[in-house]
Amino acid sequence: MSTHTLILFALTVLPLICTPGPDMLFIASQSIAGSATAGLRATAGVCSGYLVHSLMVAVGLAAVIAASPVMFATLRWAGVAYLAFLALQLLRSALTPGQPRIASRREPSPFHRGFLTAAMNPKGMLIYFAIIPQFMQHDGSIALQAIVLSGIFIGLCGVVYAALSFVLAATGSRGSISDGRRRWVEGVSGGMLAVAATRLASS
């Protein structure tokens, strides 16, 4: 895979990572109710949970491609449609007022809870299967490419969520994320995903 492909993949998944969701809200709750250390432990748990998805995707995609190129093409277009769907959902949410609440309590084991939050999240698996195939090439090891792309995704998750842990612990925010900021992030993220879906569909 070329450096350009890896950069494009990173730019595609970054808005998804930055969009408030179960993983981000859980990590935020740990940082707010506990400390930056609790947030970092939750971040480590979430990233470990995504390793499970990575292994399943690496093995699953290799099997699909080996069995049927047509099936892989179908998976690719389903992924483009899913990206477009996510973009629409984010843009619609950005236009809707509503303040997401963050639980103001600290879980007894941030790492284990973070692991289960990511590993048991079916949306995470859908994102993996929808996005990763768009950036893979038929020449070379399919499993290796899936692992490399998954590593980039997990690495970005770690950086973003760790930064979030420090920021929330330092500011001492309590109970909620600003609705204005949420809508701004979701609007920008939705626009970026719409551009990504259009570009991938035409490539």
Side-chain angles (χ1 to χ4, degrees), residues 66-144:
S68 173
V70 175
M71 187 179 299
F72 179 74
T74 301
L75 180 63
R76 175 182 179 275
W77 282 106
V80 172
Y82 185 61
L83 280 177
F85 171 76
L86 288 177
L88 179 62
Q89 292 292 99
L90 285 172
L91 292 173
R92 181 179 298 175
S93 178
L95 297 175
T96 304
Q99 197 167 12
R101 302 296 298 177
I102 299 177
S104 58
R105 62 187 180 91
R106 179 178 174 179
E107 299 294 338
S109 178
F111 178 88
H112 293 112
R113 179 62 186 275
F115 176 85
L116 292 176
T117 298
M120 302 299 290
N121 183 5
K123 183 180 179 181
M125 179 61 71
L126 288 174
I127 291 175
Y128 263 65
F129 273 100
I131 297 178
I132 286 182
Q134 321 298 325
F135 298 89
M136 298 174 66
Q137 302 172 353
H138 289 277
D139 55 332
S141 172
I142 299 300
L144 179 59

